[in-house]
Amino acid sequence: MRTRPLKVALLGCGVVGSEVARIMTTHADDLAARIGAPIELAGVAVRRPSKVREGIPAELITTDATALVKRGDIDVVVEVIGGIEPARTLITTAFEHGASVVSANKALLAQDGAALHAAADENDKDLYYEAAVAGAIPLIRPLRESLAGDKVNRVLGIVNGTTNFILDKMDSTGAGYQEALDEATALGYAEADPTADVEGFDAAAKAAILAGIAFHTRVRLDDVHREGMTEVTAADFASAKEMGCTIKLLAICERSADGASVTARVHPAMIPLSHPLASVRGAYNAVFVESDAAGQLMFYGPGAGGAPTASAVLGDLVAVCRNRLNGATGPGESAYAALTVSPMGDVVTRYHISLDVADKPGVLAQVATVFAEHGVSIDTVRQQGRQDGDGEASLVVVTHRASDASLSGTVEALRKLDTVRGVASIMRVEGE
Ligand SMILES: NC(=O)c1ccc[n+]([C@@H]2O[C@H](COP(=O)([O-])OP(=O)(O)OC[C@H]3O[C@@H](n4cnc5c(N)ncnc54)[C@H](OP(=O)(O)O)[C@@H]3O)[C@@H](O)[C@H]2O)c1
């Protein structure tokens, strides 16, 4: 084993970074044996230098992250600051000064992955980011390496623990959205400003990263159709139950039937209770991968948290250090397929539509005609007269598979019917 240590610079020492430092110290001997050389924490960049950081020698702490990545003797930079800047500049500077990079930064990878990969390539360095998608769950490496000989057709997953906690609460207790969000906040599962989670931004960043790797195609954050879950109601859960389904916020990356294009989207959807994703409870994450040869695979585990995320960072750190010792680099960006990324209108799926309609004869026929005119075939219809005698009824229509564009056209036309008083909810039905 080489005795000269590989030097690691840690950028950020918060929830994830502090756990990375802890594991590097407590597992130092095992890590050295697995890598073939010891690793040494050479510097830790933070914003607040006076904060007490257990187990980290004070002389390693700096607020000058730029100087740390420019030192020239750093082998690997671990970026766990988060956000776009200064993380982006620090990563590219690290490459230019001879270091490889491990990052957990989904926002940056989803926005600028191509440029960062190009910078890594130009400097013949590694860029690894297993922790950027679903915390501890191995996903990037299985997609990039284990399934490199297969053809992935679909990646369907719960990639945000906060939203899964909220939806699971609504499902199991009948709570409304706000009540479930309040509980998630009180228990520390939701941040004070939950927008990134509940509006699907976090999941969309992960979907862009997963789709890019799965389909060997550049998928930008803007390519991902995104709908949050703040409009999901207790009534939606009641409808889902009647259909033998539950509701999850899903990230769905799919290859089209002809294989020529792909789509990536994040939105709440009904999935059958028999689907493995339906039983993912609390803040857990799970990702279902479908490929030609392997068939169906499911990856499950904690999608966030300091120690689980640090586990993924450390796995990358070991891999990158091994590559350094071998004078090699691991797999970089694979975007050779360059498939077309299609808009949401091209997505084909089933829909559950709940309408408030006038409770009088002929309405059902009128509604059915609108669906037929837009080429959307109806699977089931259920009509319920209301007890309050206001002359309205609820009409629940479940369709066969149709394009999102056809469904949008249908809904637009339905809204124009005098007998349709309102569209109470539209939910896609997935995982069948
Ligand atoms: N937390 C999770 O469960 C989780 C899961 C998966 C991925 N991630 C990703 O991991 C990354 C880090 O998340 P986190 O939860 O550990 O964040 P965090 O707790 O907020 O920690 C951020 C750290 O970065 C430091 N920092 C901020 N701005 C800096 C600057 N300009 N220069 C130097 N240091 C700076 C902060 O310093 P101070 O300590 O002085 O404030 C802090 O130590 C993010 O990209 C996040 O998306 C997190």
Side-chain angles (χ1 to χ4, degrees):
M1 182 163 81
R2 190 176 103 156
T3 51
R4 188 159 51 83
L6 289 154
K7 293 194 178 175
V8 177
L10 187 58
L11 308 184
C13 192
V15 174
V16 179
S18 58
E19 284 297 313
V20 170
R22 182 186 64 77
I23 298 170
M24 277 182 67
T25 310
T26 54
H27 296 186
D29 291 346
D30 284 328
L31 292 169
R34 291 170 198 174
I35 291 167
I39 48 173
E40 175 192 316
L41 195 55
V44 180
V46 296
R47 213 170 16 187
R48 295 166 297 162
S50 52
K51 190 179 168 207
V52 177
R53 302 183 198 258
E54 207 184 314
I56 300 185
E59 65 272 18
L60 293 186
I61 302 282
T62 176
T63 53
D64 194 347
T66 306
L68 181 58
V69 299
K70 280 185 173 174
R71 259 170 58 166
D73 65 337
I74 301 295
D75 291 284
V76 186
V77 166
V78 174
E79 184 276 307
V80 278
I81 290 177
I84 305 302
E85 286 293 354
R88 175 171 48 197
T89 304
L90 290 168
I91 289 174
T92 48
T93 308
F95 291 140
E96 288 158 10
H97 288 79
S100 282
V101 173
V102 173
S103 174
N105 195 332
K106 67 212 110 181
L108 179 57
L109 265 303
Q111 184 176 305
D112 278 333
L116 292 176
H117 274 293
D121 273 0
E122 268 165 38
N123 293 284
D124 211 13
K125 296 293 173 290
D126 275 327
L127 172 61
Y128 277 42
Y129 45 90
E130 182 65 68
V133 181
I137 308 173
L139 267 175
I140 308 283
R141 195 166 290 116
L143 284 170
R144 200 147 76 158
E145 298 182 35
S146 319
L147 292 167
D150 205 340
K151 181 182 176 199
V152 175
N153 295 314
R154 198 160 190 240
V155 179
L156 174 78
I158 296 165
V159 293
N160 182 278
T162 306
T163 47
N164 201 57
F165 180 91
I166 294 169
L167 291 171
D168 188 25
K169 263 288 151 230
M170 292 174 74
D171 190 23
S172 57
T173 66
Y177 166 72
Q178 192 57 49
E179 194 186 332
L181 171 62
D182 289 345
E183 184 169 350
T185 312
L187 293 172
Y189 288 115
E191 294 187 23
D193 177 2
T195 310
D197 294 319
V198 299
E199 293 296 352
F201 291 103
D202 173 85
K206 292 164 179 171
I209 296 171
L210 288 176
I213 296 172
F215 304 131
H216 302 272
T217 289
R218 275 187 192 152
V219 179
R220 294 171 302 115
L221 189 52
D222 293 349
D223 295 325
V224 181
H225 174 85
R226 178 194 54 78
E227 292 170 29
M229 43 74 76
T230 56
E231 310 277 300
V232 177
T233 62
D236 291 327
F237 272 101
S239 298
K241 276 200 178 116
E242 276 173 29
M243 281 187 62
C245 288
T246 187
I247 298 170
K248 298 288 187 190
L249 183 76
L250 297 178
I252 305 169
C253 314
E254 277 174 323
R255 198 186 283 277
S256 61
D258 65 3
S261 63
V262 296
T263 50
R265 54 193 162 115
V266 168
H267 54 71
M270 291 185 183
I271 51 165
L273 292 171
S274 56
H275 193 283
L277 288 178
S279 51
V280 176
R281 312 299 302 268
Y284 275 81
N285 284 194
V287 176
F288 206 70
V289 177
E290 295 173 12
S291 70
D292 266 5
Q296 298 181 325
L297 305 164
M298 180 144 127
F299 300 85
Y300 171 85
T309 308
S311 164
V313 170
L314 263 294
D316 280 352
L317 182 58
V318 168
V320 169
C321 286
R322 286 173 177 157
N323 292 344
R324 296 281 288 197
L325 289 182
N326 292 332
T329 52
E333 185 189 32
S334 174
Y336 74 92
L339 298 171
T340 303
V341 186
S342 298
M344 187 62 191
D346 288 3
V347 164
V348 174
T349 189
R350 295 179 66 203
Y351 303 85
H352 176 285
I353 301 128
S354 184
L355 304 170
D356 293 329
V357 297
D359 193 6
K360 60 183 189 189
V363 173
L364 192 55
Q366 243 185 347
V367 166
T369 303
V370 170
F371 276 85
E373 281 169 358
H374 290 82
V376 180
S377 155
I378 293 175
D379 181 17
T380 60
V381 183
R382 209 175 62 245
Q383 182 165 12
Q384 284 171 336
R386 293 226 186 111
Q387 303 299 319
D388 50 18
D390 61 357
E392 280 195 10
S394 292
L395 198 61
V396 173
V397 179
V398 180
T399 73
H400 287 295
R401 283 168 67 77
S403 77
D404 223 74
S406 308
L407 197 278
S408 297
T410 308
V411 171
E412 210 173 300
L414 286 171
R415 286 188 202 277
K416 288 183 186 148
L417 290 182
D418 288 344
T419 47
V420 173
R421 306 277 157 79
V423 180
S425 88
I426 306 167
M427 193 141 322
R428 299 175 185 93
V429 185
E430 304 287 341
E432 293 180 305

